[in-house]
């Protein structure tokens, strides 16, 4: 699924495998403060439960990030289902109509380059192609993360709620498309 980007660099996504966990954890540690990092076990559970929704992000063949999502029957009313460390086996459904972006990150050296937007779009489009019954996209983002919020807005997400105290430094903004 390689794409020529900016006329020079190749970006690509591929499905993640268990042997990617060390690199996933490296990206996670670089991408998020310790209070909101997912554990290795959570990523392994997500990879085992929904391998079609877990991707490695590549630039010129080198890992530059990861993306993982889940399929849900509906957006849960209980906001605890969104929190870091939630158990995918309790919410994921292969026949789900809601694609929930549970986590994604790119290495710092690629932020602000436009790669994140391309990766995000490619990952969402790939899952939607494999699961055409998906009728809603959903995620939660930190109110202070301007870059990701712009990526989501540019893709057509709209704010639909707030979870106070979701992040140690601010509220979680719920967004849907």
């Amino acid at each position: 699924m390689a794409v020529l980007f900016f006329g020079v660099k190749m970006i690509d996504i591929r499905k993640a495998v268990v042997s990617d966990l060390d690199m996933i954890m490296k990206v996670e540690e670089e991408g998020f403060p310790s209070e909101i990092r997912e554990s290795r076990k959570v990523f392994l559970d997500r990879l085992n439960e929904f391998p079609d929704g877990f991707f490695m992000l590549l630039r010129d063949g080198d890992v530059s990030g990861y993306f993982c999502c889940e399929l849900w029957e509906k957006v849960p009313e209980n906001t605890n289902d969104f929190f870091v460390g939630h158990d995918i086996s309790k919410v994921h459904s292969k026949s789900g109509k809601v694609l929930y972006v549970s986590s994604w990150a790119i290495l710092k050296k690629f932020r602000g380059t436009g790669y994140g937007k391309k990766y995000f779009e490619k990952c969402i489009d790939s899952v939607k192609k494999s699961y055409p019954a998906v009728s809603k996209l959903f995620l939660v983002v930190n109110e202070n993360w301007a870059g990701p919020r712009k990526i989501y807005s540019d893709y057509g997400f709209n704010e639909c709620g707030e979870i106070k105290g979701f992040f140690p430094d601010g509220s979680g903004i719920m967004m849907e498309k």
Side-chain angles (χ1 to χ4, degrees), residues 6-154:
F6 291 138
V8 179
K9 304 294 181 188
M10 294 295 280
I11 67 165
D12 195 10
I13 63 171
R14 66 164 171 78
K15 288 186 182 175
V17 294
V18 172
S19 60
D20 291 322
L21 281 171
D22 287 340
M23 191 62 201
I24 291 165
M25 294 311 300
K26 178 182 183 223
V27 174
E28 182 76 356
E29 288 169 14
E30 188 175 302
F32 298 104
S34 60
E35 304 88 4
I36 60 170
R37 284 186 200 141
E38 296 288 12
S39 71
R40 185 180 190 90
K41 181 188 179 320
V42 165
F43 283 125
L44 181 60
D45 291 347
R46 289 178 183 171
L47 184 57
N48 287 329
E49 186 77 27
F50 188 43
D52 289 345
F54 208 136
F55 300 97
M56 297 307 295
L57 313 177
L58 309 167
R59 180 179 162 269
D60 293 336
D62 294 325
V63 172
S64 54
Y66 74 84
F67 176 97
C68 60
C69 63
E70 304 163 14
L71 296 177
W72 294 359
E73 289 297 329
K74 62 181 182 146
V75 176
E77 292 179 22
N78 181 353
T79 58
N80 288 333
D81 289 333
F82 304 120
F83 276 81
V84 169
H86 73 270
D87 184 351
I88 185 174
S89 69
K90 294 181 179 176
V91 290
H92 177 74
S93 168
K94 289 189 180 191
S95 63
K97 310 256 183 302
V98 176
L99 187 155
Y100 175 64
V101 178
S102 49
S103 186
W104 76 283
I106 60 174
L107 295 172
K108 288 180 183 177
K109 67 183 178 181
F110 299 113
R111 294 183 194 160
T113 64
Y115 289 117
K117 181 177 180 176
K118 287 291 185 191
Y119 285 134
F120 183 78
E121 292 170 355
K122 284 176 62 97
C123 291
I124 295 284
D125 292 347
S126 179
V127 176
K128 284 174 52 182
K129 184 177 179 182
S130 296
Y131 294 85
V134 168
S135 59
K136 180 181 272 196
L137 308 175
F138 196 86
L139 56 82
V140 179
V141 63
N142 188 309
E143 66 182 331
N144 301 312
W145 297 350
R149 286 180 73 182
K150 177 156 178 29
I151 289 171
Y152 308 145
S153 293
D154 288 352

